[in-house]
Amino acid sequence: MQLDILTPEHKIFSGNVYGIQLPGIEGSFEILEHHAPMIASLGKGRMKILKDKSSTESFEISGGFAEVLNNKVSVLIEDAKAMA
């Protein structure tokens, strides 16, 4: 699925991924291919990009929104700090 992660200043990530784990305001959730359409509010926490089944990239975020539509995920956040 296509994933785009944007802040007001720049694009953090754009590409095809296996999935993404996000910190929702009521708990963490995961989006995989062909997820139902939705819009979700994000809280403070860890965002984990699942590039494939064995490769990941993590960021600490402070909140934002995620939209899923037609096998594309758009994540709009205030800022992100890469985690080791």
Side-chain angles (χ1 to χ4, degrees):
M1 78 182 163
Q2 175 66 32
L3 172 64
D4 292 313
I5 302 173
L6 306 163
T7 71
E9 289 81 33
H10 63 282
K11 185 181 294 187
I12 292 176
F13 183 90
S14 181
N16 286 313
V17 297
Y18 173 72
I20 185 167
Q21 296 174 349
L22 295 163
I25 57 171
E26 295 185 9
S28 296
F29 63 96
E30 184 172 83
I31 300 169
L32 299 174
E33 281 196 322
H34 306 293
H35 195 286
M38 69 174 233
I39 295 177
S41 295
L42 304 176
K44 183 175 181 174
R46 182 179 184 162
M47 173 179 68
K48 188 173 183 181
I49 301 167
L50 310 169
K51 293 183 177 180
D52 55 43
K53 292 186 180 184
S54 62
S55 175
T56 65
E57 189 174 344
S58 295
F59 296 88
E60 184 72 28
I61 66 170
S62 58
F65 294 91
E67 177 189 47
V68 182
L69 187 62
N70 297 327
N71 212 34
K72 179 178 179 181
V73 180
S74 299
V75 179
L76 308 172
I77 53 178
E78 289 293 321
D79 196 22
K81 181 179 177 184
M83 298 175 69

